[in-house]
Amino acid sequence: MISSVRSSVAATTINGSDSIFRKRLFLQTPRSSCLPSLPPKNNPKTALSVSKPLHISSVPRFEPLKSQTCLTKCEAYEADRSQPIDGKEEKSEAAKKIKIGIYFATWWALNVVFNIYNKKVLNAYPYPWLTSTLSLACGSLMMLISWATRIAEAPKTDFEFWKTLFPVAVAHTIGHVAATVSMSKVAVSFTHIIKSGEPAFSVLVSRFLLGETFPVPVYLSLLPIIGGCALAAVTELNFNMIGFMGAMISNLAFVFRNIFSKRGMKGKSVSGMNYYACLSILSLLILTPFAIAVEGPQMWAAGWQTAMSQIGPQFIWWVAAQSVFYHLYNQVSYMSLDEISPLTFSIGNTMKRISVIVSSIIIFHTPVQPVNALGAAIAILGTFLYSQAKQ
């Protein structure tokens, strides 16, 4: 009887110590073998501070460990997101937005400066063919020097590249000269108001020559564009037919330039900066003989002497500035086109015209009637609506 009691007590003691032993063994098991270790409390790099609630992604069913590799992956994400938090992605998106903003601000500023100096040169030296040639020559020289000194990497081109670029260069040359002729005859603001009607030409050319169809909102957006341009033209105090026709021809030429560029540059790996550089060089070769035939060195020399006597050495700076800034603003616009969508580019181009119109009116004290300003606002609004409807 006594022995049976002692054996049961002993069994109880052994079972209790075994339970304690098992508890100690479980507590001594390293947690890193199955779960990720928690970061130290005082480590600022691993601290997570969010204003939104966090959810823990699903944890797979535990299975027997075959190695020391962790089988469980826990990720935190915000309540209104379906993907884990990725700091690198957010930083890259923010950097891209800043980059595009810098491109746009630079593009608009350079364009405003170019139009101001271009108008000053044309007022003192009314030879738009030579002025257009100098703009292309300056840009071509800048890029050739950049390629020779390896500041910029030279593009790898072949005969097929220049062949597809040729119609683009022809259209670019006509549009550039026509716009310069327009600004030599009328105010800068009026030229850009008429040039805001470019989307109407784009739709008409695409519809009747290329057979493309567009949604009804696109056609409706043309009504304020055409109406606004017509209202601005009728109420323009310094209306000139040559200036008006120059702006209209420029619109049509740039539409064909965009069509030829879209068709011919598919699959080409030339960056926006180098593409515009090649376009400038080819346009310069096309324009130079026509500029000599239309105006000629004798007229240029006589006009140069007159401008220098009236303005002084400062006139040389005006010519250099308008040539340099013309190339820079076009180059930045092509570089921004590499980073953004066509819709964003169209909106940016519309806002650029607003900045040019307002700044030219202020600087040159251009008289503007309320009805004329209303027409310009309607045309620009229509251009913005076109950009929205086209997408």
Side-chain angles (χ1 to χ4, degrees):
M1 182 67 178
I2 295 174
S3 63
S4 64
V5 172
R6 287 180 179 177
S7 61
S8 63
V9 172
T12 304
T13 304
I14 292 173
N15 292 337
S17 62
D18 183 61
S19 175
I20 295 173
F21 174 75
R22 290 179 179 176
K23 289 181 180 180
R24 289 180 178 177
L25 182 62
F26 177 78
L27 291 174
Q28 292 176 359
T29 303
R31 298 181 62 181
S32 61
S33 61
C34 60
L35 292 175
S37 59
L38 295 176
K41 293 182 179 180
N42 297 327
N43 189 354
K45 296 182 179 179
T46 57
L48 180 63
S49 176
V50 293
S51 59
K52 300 179 181 179
L54 297 178
H55 297 289
I56 303 301
S57 60
S58 61
V59 179
R61 181 175 56 86
F62 286 97
E63 297 180 358
L65 297 177
K66 297 181 180 179
S67 62
Q68 295 296 325
T69 305
C70 179
L71 299 178
T72 306
K73 181 180 179 181
C74 296
E75 294 176 332
Y77 59 93
E78 295 176 3
D80 57 350
R81 291 172 61 99
S82 60
Q83 297 295 331
I85 299 172
D86 190 353
K88 294 182 179 179
E89 180 182 352
E90 293 181 357
K91 289 181 180 179
S92 63
E93 287 294 328
K96 186 176 180 180
K97 290 181 180 179
I98 294 174
K99 184 179 180 180
I100 294 173
I102 294 174
Y103 274 155
F104 269 37
T106 307
W107 176 20
W108 296 342
L110 292 174
N111 188 260
V112 168
V113 175
F114 158 72
N115 280 276
I116 292 172
Y117 279 108
N118 191 45
K119 186 58 178 177
K120 285 185 174 182
V121 171
L122 293 172
N123 286 339
Y125 189 71
Y127 297 98
W129 288 80
L130 177 60
T131 304
S132 303
T133 306
L134 292 176
S135 301
L136 296 174
C138 180
S140 301
L141 181 62
M142 290 170 59
M143 290 308 301
L144 289 174
I145 294 175
S146 300
W147 292 338
T149 56
R150 299 194 176 182
I151 296 177
E153 185 179 356
K156 297 179 181 179
T157 61
D158 52 14
F159 177 76
E160 188 65 24
F161 171 83
W162 293 101
K163 181 180 177 181
T164 56
L165 187 64
F166 181 77
V168 182
V170 171
H172 178 74
T173 304
I174 296 174
H176 176 40
V177 174
T180 308
V181 170
S182 175
M183 280 190 280
S184 68
K185 299 296 183 180
V186 296
V188 177
S189 57
F190 179 71
T191 299
H192 279 272
I193 291 172
I194 301 303
K195 283 179 67 63
S196 64
E198 184 177 327
F201 286 86
S202 178
V203 171
L204 294 177
V205 170
S206 300
R207 177 67 183 87
F208 293 105
L209 295 183
L210 302 180
E212 296 183 11
T213 57
F214 300 94
V216 175
V218 173
Y219 293 108
L220 293 178
S221 68
L222 300 183
L223 298 179
I225 294 176
I226 298 173
C229 289
L231 182 61
V234 171
T235 58
E236 175 65 26
L237 296 177
N238 300 317
F239 180 83
N240 181 279
M241 182 57 69
I242 297 177
F244 175 76
M245 292 304 299
M248 297 288 282
I249 293 173
S250 177
N251 283 338
L252 187 61
F254 283 137
V255 167
F256 279 104
R257 182 194 66 176
N258 296 337
I259 293 174
F260 292 143
S261 179
K262 189 180 297 183
R263 285 185 171 185
M265 296 308 299
K266 288 184 178 180
K268 302 296 181 182
S269 58
V270 179
S271 64
M273 181 178 67
N274 285 334
Y275 174 66
Y276 180 72
C278 296
L279 182 62
S280 296
I281 294 173
L282 192 54
S283 295
L284 175 63
L285 297 177
I286 297 172
L287 176 59
T288 301
F290 288 95
I292 295 174
V294 173
E295 294 175 347
Q298 293 182 352
M299 296 178 63
W300 296 340
W304 185 269
Q305 292 179 357
T306 303
M308 289 294 293
S309 62
Q310 293 177 354
I311 307 299
Q314 189 179 8
F315 176 71
I316 301 176
W317 160 249
W318 290 359
V319 175
Q322 73 91 22
S323 301
V324 172
F325 283 108
Y326 173 79
H327 176 77
L328 291 179
Y329 101 78
N330 277 285
Q331 182 173 293
V332 173
S333 69
Y334 272 83
M335 292 170 63
S336 63
L337 188 58
D338 280 347
E339 302 289 336
I340 60 179
S341 64
L343 172 61
T344 307
F345 185 83
S346 298
I347 296 174
N349 200 34
T350 304
M351 300 302 294
K352 178 204 72 174
R353 298 206 186 282
I354 296 175
S355 62
V356 171
I357 291 171
V358 173
S359 60
S360 64
I361 290 174
I362 295 174
I363 293 174
F364 294 107
H365 305 286
T366 306
V368 180
Q369 294 180 342
V371 179
N372 186 263
L374 177 62
I378 293 174
I380 293 174
L381 176 62
T383 305
F384 178 78
L385 295 176
Y386 166 82
S387 301
Q388 299 290 326
K390 186 71 182 297
Q391 298 298 318

